Amino acid sequence: MEKLLKKIKEPRDIKKLDVESLPVLCQQIRERIIEVISQTGGHLASSLGVVELTVALHYVFDSPRDKIIWDVGHQCYSHKILTGRNSRLETLRKFGGLSGFLKMEESPHDVFGAGHASTSLSAALGFAAARDINHDDYDVIAVIGDASLTGGLAFEALNNASQVTKKLIVILNDNEMSISRNVGALSGYLNKIITSPTYNKFKREIEDLIKKIPTIGPNVFRSVRKLEESIKNIIVPGVVFEEMGFNYYGPADGHDVVGLVKTMQNIKKINHQPLIFHVLTKKGKGYSFAENQPEGYHGIKPFNVSCGLGSDECHSKTYSEMFSEAIIEEAEKNKKIIAISAAMETGTGLKQFHEKFPDRFFDVGIAEEHAVTFAAGLAAAGYRPVVAVYSTFLQRAYDQIIHDVALQNLPVVFCIDRAGIVGDDGPTHHGTFDISYLRHVPNIVLCQPADGLSFKEMIHLGLLSDGPFAVRYPRGFLPKENIPGREGVKTGQSLIVKKGKDGAVFALGQEVWTALAAARRLEKEKKKSLAVIDARFVKPLDEKLVMQVLQKYSRVMTIEDGVVAGGFGSALLELSAMKKIKRCHLVPLGLPDIFIEHGSIPELKRKYKLDEDGVFEKFKEFFCSGEKEKE
Ligand SMILES: Cc1ncc(C[n+]2csc(CCOP(=O)(O)OP(=O)(O)O)c2C)c(N)n1
């Protein structure tokens, strides 16, 4: 068959096809996604699951006039292919290339950006309200996964929807999976709907009956509705969505593109009540390796299409693996330790903990706010909860950290993974704000390890702490060695790693290694020797050492993998100003006040001068120019 996909330059080209040819188009899109993601890596399984759904949406609706709003956005590859970006698909997630998520500045068809879960319903309601106020008539369609629907934000929007508008389409893309298996009562409820053919058959029959009555009087209609209500309450307990003011349609086969088109053409006409169209899909559909292992193929590195395997890579331990090991060791000794994940059991390294201590592990779903306050409750009741969470997702729980944990000085340990630049997932996922959003919270301890042993010791210290304790650490591999001359970690104490007389550098985490390498180069090439300090603690600061350094040297730099605004360097600047230090010029290195784009971690570090060459350049500019050291 001729390549249909070649003809599709924009969504209006799909509408020129007859509906019977859509399955072929879907097959070609699927092949294209597998081909490209095998080279670039990316979110394969979720994207493969929504090929038919995406084609049907673009066939029936008129994007960008109609607003299609995707939740999370990691399932958007078919949408990108159909909206003029197929020829650039190979650049997906690469520096300067297409984003792996929805991005408003990338295309008019990306009407709302995403990366974090559960945002689509609220955003869609905003669009719907604006449309209604303007007396416009376009459709607003939110596409949300069954796991994202469990997020509190989505619940808030569900609760509010019928008060805001009568015309909103919510497509519930139900593959029964979050990244791992979906959890929680709502997931159980959806499962009940899927497995309750009686109710769905009954509902269809009632609808057919209504259609067949030629002139249906209001009394008859009301009686039929009443009958339907009472029977469905017996057959499906709760009928949650209808009770919340939505018309519920489904469940429908999400891989029958022709059926989806027909149903969407019908539901498009409904404008008396918001509606939910429940569509059943299979994560990884059409690629057997992904279908059999949807979790492994959720976000994947480049792989070989024929055997599904990734290229062999040298695999030293990642920070997440070290966390996994450390928390198990601690939990074996302390029965009070409880681990909590917000739908990121595997990513954070809690899978083994879950297997070993099933009663002491909680996956609360995509619910970071709940995870934190739940931990606060456990801590208040005498347990030692550990919340393992990515830096970017913890942003959601800012108030819970302040109001529920820190204000009450509760001993919750936050293990903050993916801190700093995370790479190809880009601005929605970089963990570059956590120092700034935690540093000013009273009672909290915040630290970052520069090596594996210090990491373990920090977790141990956290579990002994009387109040909140946060350890941040980056994506990727641990350094192969420990810091030279390492000493045991003590709360609020930094470590001098290298002595020097021409200036000093405070660095955090893996930036300690970068600072050391750049300082050695400076010594060799410019004969300037710098002291390098592994700061270890952002809060409490090692004020004694910081003051000694600020008084001793006239030039001091700080380096952190995070935004400068409100970051670690800012803490030193504040201290220096407050203590009226006049002789020392202090310069913080870190990320500028912009959203950092996507690209590989080395590329981004090079661009923002946080790699060895960049730091060396900065050292040369700062430590080798002008006046001599005052010493
Ligand atoms: C606030 C937040 N927490 C965690 C994540 C990590 N995450 C990305 S996708 C995903 C699962 C989404 O599942 P679902 O909504 O069912 O969509 P599907 O992938 O199944 O299409 C999770 C937990 C996130 N993106 N946002």
Side-chain angles (χ1 to χ4, degrees):
M1 159 85 74
E2 192 197 354
K3 272 267 177 198
L4 288 180
L5 187 52
K6 277 206 178 129
K7 297 186 186 163
I8 313 291
K9 304 288 178 226
E10 53 182 325
R12 99 163 56 114
D13 298 329
I14 314 168
K15 297 180 204 304
K16 294 177 194 155
L17 304 176
D18 43 332
V19 75
E20 281 70 33
S21 58
L22 294 183
V24 178
L25 177 65
C26 291
Q27 181 55 25
Q28 292 174 359
I29 291 174
R30 202 162 255 125
E31 283 163 9
R32 176 82 175 128
I33 291 176
I34 296 170
E35 171 201 309
V36 173
I37 304 308
S38 70
Q39 296 156 26
T40 60
H43 289 101
L44 181 67
S46 298
S47 275
L48 288 179
V50 295
V51 175
E52 287 79 8
L53 182 58
T54 313
V55 168
L57 278 167
H58 281 294
Y59 194 76
V60 174
F61 296 97
D62 181 18
S63 170
R65 193 183 117 72
D66 291 330
K67 314 296 175 200
I68 304 172
I69 298 167
W70 298 88
D71 210 279
V72 189
H74 60 316
Q75 73 292 61
C76 64
Y77 302 165
S78 312
H79 168 79
K80 294 211 174 198
I81 288 173
L82 296 173
T83 52
R85 287 168 276 182
N86 190 18
S87 62
R88 284 184 292 148
L89 205 65
E90 277 81 1
T91 70
L92 198 68
R93 292 155 51 88
K94 295 199 172 131
F95 188 60
L98 291 178
S99 157
F101 295 88
L102 276 305
K103 200 171 172 192
M104 286 171 74
E105 65 209 69
E106 195 177 284
S107 161
H109 297 278
D110 293 3
V111 294
F112 198 77
H116 288 197
S118 315
T119 59
S120 62
L121 301 192
S122 302
L125 272 180
F127 274 98
R131 175 203 58 205
D132 297 349
I133 296 165
N134 293 339
H135 302 291
D136 229 325
D137 66 348
Y138 54 81
D139 278 301
V140 180
I141 308 109
V143 186
I144 185 163
D146 53 303
S148 296
L149 191 67
T150 66
L153 183 58
F155 266 87
E156 289 169 29
L158 274 183
N159 184 47
N160 183 224
S162 62
Q163 283 170 310
V164 172
T165 186
K166 290 184 162 51
K167 195 169 181 296
L168 172 75
I169 297 173
V170 175
I171 308 242
L172 169 55
N173 166 31
D174 184 359
N175 55 21
E176 298 180 68
M177 295 287 292
S178 184
I179 290 179
S180 336
R181 194 116 203 118
N182 197 6
V183 293
L186 185 66
S187 157
Y189 173 70
L190 293 178
N191 191 270
K192 223 177 246 174
I193 296 180
I194 298 168
T195 52
S196 174
T198 342
Y199 165 64
N200 291 298
K201 187 162 163 280
F202 166 75
K203 190 169 165 38
R204 266 194 300 278
E205 279 167 7
I206 290 274
E207 277 159 9
D208 286 350
L209 183 71
I210 294 175
K211 274 184 222 145
K212 276 180 201 149
I213 300 172
T215 45
I216 171 168
N219 288 343
V220 181
F221 186 83
R222 233 177 281 128
S223 312
V224 175
R225 287 303 280 182
K226 226 168 143 190
L227 178 71
E228 186 192 4
E229 283 302 315
S230 46
I231 297 183
K232 82 187 172 192
N233 279 328
I234 300 168
I235 301 173
V236 180
V239 195
V240 172
F241 302 117
E242 302 234 2
E243 295 298 339
M244 292 185 89
F246 282 81
N247 257 330
Y248 169 84
Y249 293 87
D253 176 356
H255 299 301
D256 170 11
V257 64
V258 177
L260 287 176
V261 165
K262 286 190 180 142
T263 312
M264 285 186 196
Q265 282 165 340
N266 283 332
I267 60 175
K268 191 174 154 54
K269 296 175 199 149
I270 292 170
N271 56 10
H272 64 278
Q273 206 178 354
L275 70 92
I276 287 192
F277 178 32
H278 186 179
V279 173
L280 306 184
T281 59
K282 187 156 184 55
K283 200 165 171 172
K285 177 73 179 175
Y287 184 53
S288 61
F289 299 106
E291 282 192 31
N292 296 335
Q293 248 189 290
E295 183 175 350
Y297 282 80
H298 177 84
I300 182 151
K301 292 190 177 149
F303 60 96
N304 180 318
V305 176
S306 56
C307 65
L309 298 176
S311 56
D312 272 344
E313 57 181 42
C314 137
H315 189 58
S316 66
K317 208 171 277 176
T318 62
Y319 280 87
S320 313
E321 285 165 345
M322 183 58 115
F323 162 69
S324 169
E325 193 180 298
I327 200 67
I328 288 175
E329 278 172 24
E330 294 287 343
E332 272 162 353
K333 289 178 262 168
N334 182 350
K335 290 199 169 37
K336 293 280 182 194
I337 291 173
I338 306 263
I340 300 165
S341 164
M344 301 299 292
E345 173 181 328
T346 303
T348 55
L350 279 177
K351 206 174 184 61
Q352 288 80 356
F353 184 100
H354 184 185
E355 283 160 10
K356 223 167 163 63
F357 308 104
D359 301 338
R360 291 157 63 187
F361 169 79
F362 293 90
D363 177 357
V364 298
I366 306 178
E368 289 79 8
E369 306 96 303
H370 165 56
V372 171
T373 304
F374 173 59
L378 278 162
Y383 278 87
R384 304 295 316 205
V386 176
V387 180
V389 59
Y390 288 9
S391 166
T392 186
F393 302 140
L394 189 61
Q395 286 162 198
R396 285 255 162 119
Y398 179 58
D399 182 56
Q400 288 72 20
I401 293 169
I402 294 176
H403 178 271
D404 301 320
V405 178
L407 177 60
Q408 310 186 92
N409 200 22
L410 289 167
V412 174
V413 177
F414 295 97
C415 288
I416 307 176
D417 201 332
R418 304 321 195 252
I421 293 175
V422 298
D424 26 33
D425 277 343
T428 54
H429 283 62
H430 292 312
T432 50
F433 303 117
D434 57 88
I435 298 180
S436 318
Y437 72 70
L438 291 176
R439 182 167 79 72
H440 56 245
V441 179
N443 289 338
I444 210 162
V445 172
L446 175 59
C447 54
Q448 179 168 358
D451 57 37
L453 206 51
S454 308
F455 187 18
K456 278 192 160 180
E457 288 178 4
M458 284 177 182
I459 292 173
H460 183 70
L461 264 186
L463 288 162
L464 296 177
S465 162
D466 292 332
F469 195 102
V471 189
R472 80 186 291 265
Y473 45 96
R475 177 181 175 198
F477 298 104
L478 280 159
K480 291 202 178 73
E481 312 147 38
N482 292 315
I483 287 288
R486 209 196 73 87
E487 288 165 14
V489 177
K490 292 197 189 86
T491 299
Q493 272 190 19
S494 303
L495 177 78
I496 299 169
V497 179
K498 175 184 172 307
K499 292 199 169 117
K501 58 178 179 46
D502 299 310
V505 182
F506 281 88
L508 261 185
Q510 76 272 36
E511 299 310 324
V512 176
W513 295 93
T514 316
L516 265 179
R520 284 187 185 129
R521 250 170 90 181
L522 198 77
E523 209 156 313
K524 210 161 146 206
E525 292 180 26
K526 297 284 171 189
K527 310 287 175 249
K528 292 270 184 193
S529 78
L530 301 182
V532 176
I533 296 141
D534 174 1
R536 289 184 165 176
F537 287 83
V538 176
K539 187 176 178 142
L541 268 186
D542 189 342
E543 284 198 16
K544 195 169 149 217
L545 182 67
V546 172
M547 286 304 294
Q548 281 169 5
V549 169
L550 295 182
Q551 277 156 351
K552 178 171 177 189
Y553 299 94
S554 66
R555 292 177 201 199
V556 174
M557 256 190 174
T558 61
I559 314 180
E560 64 201 290
D561 184 6
V563 290
V564 167
F568 167 70
S570 299
L572 266 69
L573 283 166
E574 285 163 19
L575 185 72
S576 158
M578 245 119 57
K579 301 276 181 193
K580 301 191 173 61
I581 303 283
K582 294 207 179 74
R583 294 175 56 248
C584 181
H585 184 187
L586 179 59
V587 169
L589 290 192
L591 294 166
D593 188 16
I594 55 168
F595 287 104
I596 306 300
E597 67 270 49
H598 65 274
S600 70
I601 294 177
E603 278 166 333
L604 293 173
K605 287 210 162 172
R606 193 173 316 132
K607 174 164 178 186
Y608 293 100
K609 302 209 176 299
L610 286 176
D611 65 344
E612 188 191 313
D613 287 343
V615 169
F616 177 63
E617 281 304 309
K618 293 280 182 187
F619 280 2
K620 265 198 313 193
E621 274 169 34
F622 184 58
F623 292 109
C624 301
S625 67
E627 54 178 301
K628 279 198 168 306
E629 191 58 41
K630 292 213 165 67
E631 237 190 335

